[in-house]
Amino acid sequence: MALEITDQSFQEMVLNSDKPVLVDFWAVWCGPCRTLGPIIEEVAVDFEGRAIVGKVDVDNNQQVSVDYGIRNIPTVLIFKNGEVVDKIVGVASKEVIAEKLSAHL
């Protein structure tokens, strides 16, 4: 299951992680985000133990969203060693997301 990441936990959960981290920036009111949500959950299960998969609610965690220039949601960022190494804006298929995350394992 995807982890809830907040402004307060971002440093520890994402930037300090020794595994690649996929972060889904989303909001409750966002239709495309609701489409992407179940796909992110499936990716979280598939990559358990190999990567961290989390979600940031942009309405409740505005600092991280501002820090990474999130203008459109859903936006998925992939981090490795504390750096953004890939980005997906909008809804993408499970295959595309898994392929991008696999490239950073």
Side-chain angles (χ1 to χ4, degrees):
M1 184 165 166
L3 304 171
E4 181 180 342
I5 300 172
T6 65
D7 283 345
Q8 292 73 32
S9 67
F10 193 84
Q11 176 81 32
E12 180 185 343
M13 293 177 76
V14 178
L15 301 181
N16 295 343
S17 176
D18 59 350
K19 296 178 182 164
V21 184
L22 181 146
V23 181
D24 173 25
F25 289 85
W26 71 289
V28 173
W29 49 263
C30 165
C33 298
R34 288 196 300 273
T35 300
L36 186 62
I39 296 169
I40 296 297
E41 293 297 334
E42 288 180 29
V43 170
V45 170
D46 292 350
F47 284 84
E48 188 171 353
R50 298 185 294 151
I52 307 293
V53 176
K55 298 172 74 70
V56 172
D57 181 334
V58 297
D59 289 334
N60 297 327
N61 300 284
Q62 296 179 358
Q63 188 58 54
V64 169
S65 303
V66 167
D67 289 349
Y68 288 93
I70 305 301
R71 302 266 184 271
N72 300 302
I73 54 173
T75 292
V76 172
L77 297 181
I78 299 173
F79 292 81
K80 186 169 186 179
N81 301 320
E83 299 291 325
V84 176
V85 293
D86 213 335
K87 179 178 186 174
I88 304 166
V89 178
V91 177
S93 69
K94 179 181 173 183
E95 294 74 23
V96 166
I97 295 169
E99 184 177 308
K100 286 183 174 281
L101 185 54
S102 291
H104 300 289
L105 293 178

